Amino acid sequence: MTSSPHALIVGATGISGTALAERLVGEGWDVTGLSRSRTLDLDGVTDVRVDLQSADDTRRALSGQAFTHVFITAWVRGATEDENIAVNSAIVRNLLDAVRPAGSVQHVALMTGLKHYMGPFEAYGKGEVRDTPFREDEERLPYPNFYYAQEDVLWEAAARDGFTWSVHRAHTVIGTAVGNAMNMAQTLAVQAAICREHGRPFVFPGSQTQWDGLTDMTDAGLLAEHMQWAATTPEAANTSFNIANGDVFRWRWMWPRIAELLGVEPEGFADAPRPLEQQVAGAADDWQVVSERHGLAVEDVDQLASWWHTDADLGRDFECLTDMRRSRQAGFKESRTTVDCFARVFDDLRRRNLIPPL
């Protein structure tokens, strides 16, 4: 690695990208943050706005820059998995083609997730699902998945251009990011604030399997540390990794603790799932009232909560947790306690005036 590494973070305004940018800046890296429509506005980060679906725009936006490390933490959701494959493989291809002329890239890290083992949204857990804990050496599932397409583009470019690579399969990521489409911690915090406004209990929205079964999650800060480690550790080169906090829990244990952190009365699973999209049908108006009452920084509930994503995660009717031995054997020993991660995010949301005080 050079004495002054220069990172390009794709998706710098998302949960994972923001945490990674903060970490690398703190470690003394030069950091360029790439986003399609917003800027990170973090000291030490140079912002670039470009739509990676355009090969020409991507090439122009990154022309003349020499990055040593590229971190891909963003994706675009299409209406079908075929669209997901077309768009997201093109994003990776356009990006790697644009940084190729400088000949400076040493490592590219790609963030994916556990849909690698469970299938894409169209077939999410409906067909063949690998036994838990999910292990990185499992064969791919026998149907299309945009994660697989992204990996194939990455591996082809690495073989062509001579950089090393890593793939990071995170579970549900715990972190803070306004405008992110998949953000459970913020979603639960908004749910709790609306419950407090109406004096309602904090109702678990998911399935009995999730309520009673074991699961895990991934802290955004831990994911950032893992990506930096893999990008700078020879023993981690050219490897796909699961990345989760290292503890496991049952939602029937976690839910009352989250409720306590958010100042609401918990109510667990009873008879059938009660999805958030049904529970908070009037969320836009409810949040407007909450926001005005407390003078909050964001009035648009859709910038904070992603009901569909939390319903999908907590509504799964199968167990979901990962094996971390590959990282441990390669030397990554860090871990987090998930309930503490939730507590830190809730404190951060209050500090940023994004949710009401207790």
Side-chain angles (χ1 to χ4, degrees):
M1 187 176 69
T2 66
S3 59
S4 181
H6 186 181
L8 173 64
I9 301 176
V10 178
T13 59
I15 299 175
S16 305
T18 297
L20 180 60
E22 291 172 346
R23 177 171 182 84
L24 294 182
V25 167
E27 293 284 311
W29 289 45
D30 294 328
V31 177
T32 296
L34 190 153
S35 180
R36 179 172 51 177
S37 58
R38 296 185 294 123
T39 54
L40 184 58
D41 295 327
L42 176 68
D43 288 344
V45 175
T46 301
D47 291 302
V48 173
R49 291 175 60 176
V50 64
D51 185 349
L52 292 176
Q53 295 181 64
S54 169
D56 290 341
D57 288 351
T58 303
R59 186 165 49 251
R60 282 192 292 268
L62 300 180
S63 176
Q65 302 196 59
F67 305 105
T68 58
H69 298 75
V70 178
F71 300 90
I72 305 171
T73 69
W75 68 288
V76 176
R77 187 181 182 187
T80 67
E81 193 60 16
D82 285 343
E83 289 184 21
N84 285 335
I85 290 169
V87 171
N88 290 287
S89 60
I91 283 173
V92 176
R93 184 177 299 107
N94 293 343
L95 173 71
L96 298 183
D97 285 348
V99 299
R100 184 185 187 195
S104 58
V105 175
Q106 300 171 19
H107 186 90
V108 177
L110 171 67
M111 175 190 167
T112 63
L114 299 194
K115 288 188 288 297
H116 184 95
Y117 308 106
M118 297 182 292
F121 286 115
E122 291 179 8
Y124 195 46
K126 296 177 181 177
E128 182 181 0
V129 177
R130 301 304 184 202
D131 286 338
T132 54
F134 299 133
R135 295 175 173 86
E136 296 98 336
D137 57 2
E138 296 276 5
E139 293 183 0
R140 290 178 172 181
L141 295 172
Y143 31 77
N145 189 319
F146 83 86
Y147 286 165
Y148 305 161
Q150 287 184 309
E151 288 180 340
D152 290 342
V153 173
L154 172 64
W155 297 338
E156 180 182 358
R160 178 193 68 198
D161 297 337
F163 57 76
T164 59
W165 57 268
S166 57
V167 174
H168 304 260
R169 299 170 185 159
H171 196 175
T172 304
V173 178
I174 306 172
T176 305
V178 175
N180 190 269
M182 300 187 295
N183 195 331
M184 182 185 288
Q186 281 183 192
T187 298
L188 296 181
V190 171
Q191 176 196 2
I194 292 173
C195 288
R196 287 174 61 192
E197 179 69 22
H198 292 286
R200 299 197 303 246
F202 183 59
V203 175
F204 179 74
S207 68
Q208 184 168 10
T209 301
Q210 290 302 305
W211 182 249
D212 292 330
L214 288 172
T215 193
D216 56 15
M217 296 184 73
T218 306
D219 178 67
L222 182 69
L223 173 60
E225 189 170 353
H226 192 254
M227 296 184 85
Q228 182 190 11
W229 164 80
T232 57
T233 302
E235 293 79 8
N238 304 326
T239 308
S240 298
F241 294 101
N242 293 330
I243 173 61
N245 287 342
D247 64 347
V248 297
F249 62 91
R250 303 179 199 277
W251 278 106
R252 69 189 188 204
W253 178 89
M254 182 66 76
W255 197 252
R257 286 158 177 80
I258 290 178
E260 183 177 4
L261 292 170
L262 294 171
V264 285
E265 186 67 27
E267 184 174 315
F269 178 84
D271 300 323
R274 289 173 282 182
L276 291 175
E277 287 193 318
Q278 297 175 15
Q279 287 192 45
V280 293
D285 292 338
D286 288 337
W287 189 252
Q288 185 75 29
V289 172
V290 171
S291 177
E292 291 177 357
R293 183 189 308 279
H294 296 280
L296 300 181
V298 175
E299 296 184 354
D300 181 0
V301 72
D302 291 333
Q303 293 296 301
L304 297 175
S306 47
W307 313 115
W308 69 271
H309 178 258
T310 297
D311 282 342
D313 269 11
L314 296 182
R316 292 180 298 218
D317 202 22
F318 51 90
E319 189 177 68
C320 184
L321 69 156
T322 60
D323 181 80
M324 283 284 292
R325 283 179 297 172
R326 184 175 283 184
S327 289
R328 305 300 185 224
Q329 290 168 354
F332 186 81
K333 309 295 185 183
E334 301 302 317
S335 63
R336 299 286 191 276
T337 300
T338 299
V339 68
D340 292 342
C341 297
F342 274 113
R344 283 194 294 272
V345 169
F346 298 153
D347 286 345
D348 187 44
L349 293 172
R350 294 186 187 101
R351 180 181 62 81
R352 298 187 187 197
N353 197 32
L354 294 171
I355 63 172
L358 288 177

